[in-house]
Amino acid sequence: MQVAILMTHVAIAIALVVLILLQQGKGAEAGAAFGGGASQTVFGSRGSGNFLAKFTGLLAAAFFATSLTLAYFASQAGDAPEAGIPDAELIEQQNAVPTLDGGSRDVDNTAPVLEESGD
């Protein structure tokens, strides 16, 4: 489910970039007033501004919703213990396992020290 929401989030982000780049800036209306061909648009004589603005707003709301959903999933994933740290009960069970030689586990494992010769 999280992967599907992530893929939707990426698709919405790409669509938002494309829609924002398709929209005309504020200074573009001056050129249209002098015969810029506004009557030949696909969206009618008023142009595509109203349609694209509403669709961009809808996609922005969907992007916001998917962002919040992904943040919720990320916060829930933080509650799980990390995979690299073993549980304390598991460590105690490993310490209780008998050794193969039957000896005690309290053996001094320090490295031997070489004695210096007095030449």
Side-chain angles (χ1 to χ4, degrees):
M1 170 120 165
Q2 186 175 358
V3 174
I5 293 174
L6 181 64
M7 297 303 287
T8 305
H9 186 73
V10 170
I12 290 172
I14 292 170
L16 269 174
V17 169
V18 170
L19 277 177
I20 290 171
L21 290 177
L22 281 177
Q23 293 182 25
Q24 296 177 351
K26 292 286 183 186
E29 284 88 21
F34 297 108
S39 62
Q40 298 174 3
T41 61
V42 176
F43 300 104
S45 62
R46 287 187 43 95
S48 62
N50 196 18
F51 171 75
L52 288 180
K54 286 183 180 180
F55 195 58
T56 303
L58 179 71
L59 282 180
F63 183 81
F64 184 71
T66 56
S67 296
L68 288 177
T69 306
L70 288 172
Y72 174 74
F73 283 142
S75 69
Q76 294 301 317
D79 293 341
E82 292 188 28
I85 300 174
D87 193 33
E89 293 177 8
L90 179 63
I91 294 172
E92 289 181 20
Q93 287 176 356
Q94 289 176 347
N95 288 339
V97 174
T99 59
L100 292 176
D101 59 359
S104 68
R105 296 193 62 117
D106 296 330
V107 178
D108 185 21
N109 288 333
T110 58
V113 178
L114 295 175
E115 295 180 16
E116 294 184 30
S117 62
D119 289 322

